[in-house]
Amino acid sequence: MSSLTWSSFPVPISRRTSSLTNPNYPITTIHKRNRWRFRCSIANDSPISPPISGDFNSPPLLDCVIVGAGISGLCIAQALATKHASVSPDVVVTEARDRVGGNISTVERDGYLWEEGPNSFQPSDPMLTMVVDSGLKDDLVLGDPTAPRFVLWGGGLKPVPSSPGDLPFFDLMSFPGKLRAGFGALGIRPPPPDREESVEEFVRRNLGDEVFERLIEPFCSGVYAGDPSKLSMKAAFGKVWKLEKNGGSIIGGAIKAIQARKNSTKPPRDPRLPKPQGQTVGSFRKGQAMLPNAISKSLGSKVKLSWKLISISKLENRGYNLTYETPNGFASLQTKTVVMTVPSYVASDLLRPLSSEAAEALSKFYYPPVAAVSVSYPKEAIRDDRLIDGQLKGFGQLHPRSQGVETLGTIYSSSLFPNRAPPGRVLLLNYIGGATNPGILSKTESQLVEAVDRDLRTMLINPKAGEPLTLGVKVWPRAIPQFLIGHFDILDAAKFALSEGGYRGMFLGGNYVSGVALGRCVESAYDVAADVSTFLSRGVYK
């Protein structure tokens, strides 16, 4: 526990001193059991910040308070610290739980290391920049770029083409299906309708039924745990949607995009960044949790754990007051800007007193349940026809809903990254549930394991193998926000309501804004940090 010294009067400290490099800078008022007290000294290692000093009617403001210490909130704070420190030196990240990371949860036990949330990320340059700035370059692990991915079809696991050029040589699709996809990609297909299309509508129209049923539908299950008949193509897979919009067809748009990249001047690549080879995915030596933990360590006392936000109020022409319930009583933070990175339904409740219209919009996003089931088998339990050079190799497998299995997909964790399982054992991470199967919430952990094991024995595990070793079952009742048709309209309505209500400096972030992939959350964090910096540089509250 941190040592606190209480007094009946505050010690005045100059606004010029940085709150987060000097532990004596005042940012917080603490009151306990209806008796107001102002702290005048605090241990250097304390997680609680000192109180407001000087003029109580006009306390100094933080530059930014980020609500939520999931990967989005932490990366926004890190981006502000590394890219915009001169504009936003005073930043605090608050988290209601007693740990950082949000849905990122890594468990290590008995020689196993497994994930209960996101398993990997695409090593884009923004992602790698965050990795390097967080001191994790040497802990980065990358999967084999040649590792095959499989889709269950017709009772067997079929390899997925790693690029469009590979499509003619794979047996996942028929020859007529490949022809239909090729002609459609060239633009020989029905024109787009005068409305927002679902993923299913867009893909069937452009690339045909087989591409949708055998590739895109299982991919939607793997990324969103979603229903492609309801997911918005524009919102969920915007890059592909833009290809047709900009080029008249998918291939036409791809050619235009390549030409635009050739004609544009790109800044030199950061020489600190690793150079991944091929189409690969990344993690860390000790799992995904290393990233939020490293960022939190870097931010130090800027991160406040077990701080539950109770209310937000607008200060007259000065920003916002945020009131928290903390382990040390109630606390208030005054800030120029706020970034809400909590799930949309949490943001809805918190923002309702400010804007019922914004709250109503934010309440409309749907988060279906998903369970992550980690099991282990001896290597001998793997079917012989699934072994390559005597080993289970590959990224994993996806299961279309039409194939009669309940599990959405399986990741070969011990094949993808090193030191995930003891010698002689195979670690498999399975996802079950999603928008098409919300009934998992009524199942017990043992029933979920039974469902996963039953599915695996139809295509990967020898039916006569012994029972699996169950490592962990993590059920996320509200797991992944669904980017349904109208998603952007709803998000824009929330932002517009805040703007029209005069709530300048209130920003929305998180995976329902950026996209659900971990890499997209990191990339968006840099954009949000830039927006905050631009707002602060205007000197609105000076």
Side-chain angles (χ1 to χ4, degrees):
M1 293 291 293
S2 302
S3 60
L4 299 176
T5 304
W6 296 88
S7 175
S8 60
F9 61 94
V11 176
I13 297 179
S14 167
R15 174 69 179 98
R16 286 293 182 183
T17 307
S18 171
S19 65
L20 303 172
T21 57
N22 182 340
N24 292 321
Y25 181 72
I27 62 172
T28 307
T29 305
I30 300 289
H31 36 102
K32 303 176 80 171
R33 297 186 180 91
N34 297 323
R35 289 183 61 198
W36 285 77
R37 288 173 158 184
F38 295 96
R39 181 165 56 257
C40 67
S41 66
I42 186 167
N44 285 345
D45 62 348
S46 171
I48 308 297
S49 299
I52 302 167
S53 68
D55 181 0
F56 300 119
N57 295 320
S58 182
L61 298 179
L62 290 163
D63 294 308
C64 183
V65 171
I66 298 167
V67 182
I71 196 62
S72 293
L74 290 171
C75 288
I76 292 168
Q78 181 81 321
L80 287 171
T82 57
K83 306 294 184 183
H84 310 282
S86 62
V87 177
S88 55
D90 300 328
V91 177
V92 169
V93 184
T94 63
E95 170 58 49
R97 288 181 280 190
D98 62 357
R99 67 171 185 87
V100 298
N103 287 352
I104 294 178
S105 177
T106 305
V107 182
E108 185 174 16
R109 188 174 67 236
D110 300 331
Y112 291 94
L113 189 149
W114 69 93
E115 305 290 350
E116 296 183 323
N119 179 77
S120 59
F121 54 81
Q122 296 291 328
S124 64
D125 278 2
M127 185 75 208
L128 293 175
T129 299
M130 188 63 65
V131 169
V132 171
D133 286 344
S134 302
L136 293 178
K137 182 177 181 179
D138 293 339
D139 293 292
L140 178 68
V141 292
L142 298 173
D144 180 359
T146 66
R149 293 158 169 81
F150 301 95
V151 166
L152 176 66
W153 192 261
L157 292 171
K158 308 289 187 181
V160 174
S162 58
S163 68
D166 295 334
L167 192 61
F169 308 104
F170 281 77
D171 64 354
L172 178 59
M173 292 172 56
S174 69
F175 182 70
K178 294 172 184 177
L179 282 179
R180 169 65 179 88
F183 284 127
L186 287 168
I188 305 173
R189 79 306 181 233
D194 245 354
R195 56 176 174 78
E196 188 174 359
E197 285 184 288
S198 70
V199 171
E200 179 175 2
E201 291 171 327
F202 180 94
V203 175
R204 287 189 187 275
R205 180 176 60 79
N206 274 280
L207 301 173
D209 295 341
E210 288 192 20
V211 169
F212 171 74
E213 293 165 1
R214 306 183 190 192
L215 286 172
I216 303 305
E217 190 268 349
F219 185 74
C220 287
S221 295
V223 175
Y224 285 93
D227 181 348
S229 70
K230 298 178 180 179
L231 288 171
S232 162
M233 187 68 193
K234 178 181 178 180
F237 301 103
K239 288 183 179 180
V240 178
W241 177 83
K242 287 179 181 177
L243 293 180
E244 182 189 34
K245 179 176 175 60
N246 295 337
S249 68
I250 292 176
I251 288 181
I255 292 173
K256 279 195 170 184
I258 293 171
Q259 291 173 339
R261 282 197 296 269
K262 287 182 178 179
N263 295 331
S264 64
T265 302
K266 292 179 61 177
R269 189 172 188 266
D270 188 339
R272 303 176 303 155
L273 303 186
K275 297 179 180 179
Q277 302 299 314
Q279 295 293 318
T280 186
V281 294
S283 183
F284 301 98
R285 181 177 51 84
K286 289 294 184 180
Q288 297 282 71
M290 288 191 75
L291 181 59
N293 289 340
I295 296 174
S296 179
K297 182 179 179 181
S298 173
L299 295 172
S301 62
K302 295 182 179 184
V303 179
K304 311 297 183 187
L305 298 181
S306 300
W307 277 44
K308 181 181 179 181
L309 182 58
I310 303 300
S311 66
I312 306 174
S313 59
K314 187 78 170 67
L315 300 173
E316 187 174 355
N317 298 321
R318 299 195 68 251
Y320 299 89
N321 182 85
L322 289 77
T323 301
Y324 292 87
E325 182 181 341
T326 83
N328 295 281
F330 291 93
S332 295
L333 300 178
Q334 291 76 37
T335 179
K336 300 173 185 175
T337 63
V338 177
V339 183
M340 302 291 290
T341 68
V342 292
S344 63
Y345 51 88
V346 177
S348 173
D349 291 341
L350 291 169
L351 293 174
R352 190 168 297 278
L354 298 182
S355 171
S356 59
E357 293 85 359
E360 182 62 26
L362 291 171
S363 70
K364 293 180 179 179
F365 295 120
Y366 172 50
Y367 292 67
V370 175
V373 180
S374 295
V375 294
S376 174
Y377 297 87
K379 283 187 178 180
E380 295 75 20
I382 305 297
R383 294 187 180 198
D384 290 341
D385 63 349
R386 300 313 314 150
L387 299 176
I388 301 173
D389 299 329
Q391 303 291 326
L392 176 64
K393 295 184 178 180
F395 179 92
Q397 57 192 55
L398 294 172
H399 310 145
R401 301 298 82 209
S402 63
Q403 297 305 292
V405 297
E406 192 173 0
T407 312
L408 296 171
T410 300
I411 294 174
Y412 306 162
S413 299
S414 53
S415 301
L416 187 58
F417 300 122
N419 303 316
R420 263 38 180 185
R425 304 290 299 189
V426 172
L427 173 61
L428 302 175
L429 170 57
N430 309 270
Y431 295 106
I432 185 170
T436 60
N437 185 19
I440 63 160
L441 289 177
S442 65
K443 293 189 175 184
T444 65
E445 289 189 1
S446 61
Q447 288 174 328
L448 292 173
V449 173
E450 288 172 7
V452 166
D453 180 59
R454 181 175 61 248
D455 288 346
L456 291 174
R457 290 174 189 271
T458 66
M459 85 294 277
L460 183 65
I461 300 298
N462 190 317
K464 296 182 179 180
E467 296 297 309
L469 171 64
T470 302
L471 296 169
V473 178
K474 177 67 175 181
V475 178
W476 301 94
R478 287 173 155 177
I480 303 172
Q482 300 297 288
F483 282 49
L484 305 179
I485 291 175
H487 182 91
F488 285 150
D489 293 336
I490 297 171
L491 184 59
D492 288 343
K495 292 179 178 179
F496 180 78
L498 290 173
S499 175
E500 286 296 290
Y503 298 108
R504 300 177 299 171
M506 176 69 70
F507 298 89
L508 300 177
N511 59 2
Y512 72 95
V513 178
S514 63
V516 301
L518 193 153
R520 282 295 304 130
C521 293
V522 174
E523 292 168 17
S524 177
Y526 285 104
D527 296 334
V528 174
D531 291 341
V532 171
S533 178
T534 298
F535 178 85
L536 291 171
S537 66
R538 294 173 182 162
V540 177
Y541 299 125
K542 287 183 180 179

